[in-house]
Amino acid sequence: MNYPIDDAEQLIENAEAEMPPSTRSRLIAKLRMGRHIDEAAAELDLSPGKVFSTARILKPFGEQLDATLTDQRDPSLPHGTVTGYNKRCRCPECRSALQRRV
């Protein structure tokens, strides 16, 4: 029986199993069609928290998710602020603003 070398490998393996490439691709496609992350995740029976935690573990997916959320964000919102986050923007800058506040 093969055992993972460390906990990081186990985390990656679990994330891949819980959100396989096909699910990640469908999520990105929904976001590119203008769906909000909360709605797109719910349509795939995922929580937004699961999506973002998977994105932290699977770096290429995280980069793709951040790029998509940045491309699709509302240009009229003040990005990089808690206000932007409160108006439902989940781009990396708005998520970061919330983290700085906490």
Side-chain angles (χ1 to χ4, degrees):
M1 181 180 282
N2 290 334
Y3 293 97
I5 294 174
D6 58 27
D7 290 339
E9 284 188 11
Q10 187 65 54
L11 279 173
I12 292 168
E13 186 177 310
N14 290 345
E16 288 278 354
E18 292 174 5
M19 194 181 299
S22 61
T23 301
R24 296 191 305 264
S25 293
R26 288 175 33 218
L27 176 73
I28 295 297
K30 288 177 181 293
L31 295 174
R32 287 182 179 156
M33 291 188 313
R35 304 293 290 174
H36 187 272
I37 184 78
D38 294 348
E39 296 157 356
E43 289 171 8
L44 297 170
D45 293 323
L46 301 168
S47 71
K50 173 56 84 178
V51 171
F52 288 115
S53 66
T54 301
R56 283 190 302 272
I57 295 166
L58 304 176
K59 296 296 183 197
F61 170 61
E63 291 168 1
Q64 183 182 31
L65 178 64
D66 282 348
T68 302
L69 291 172
T70 299
D71 289 344
Q72 297 298 315
R73 68 187 181 180
D74 181 349
S76 70
L77 294 178
H79 297 285
T81 67
V82 174
T83 300
Y85 187 89
N86 287 341
K87 293 188 180 257
R88 295 181 31 117
C89 182
R90 297 301 181 260
C91 77
E93 293 174 15
C94 289
R95 292 193 325 265
S96 179
L98 185 70
Q99 297 272 322
R100 286 190 309 266
R101 184 172 184 221
V102 174

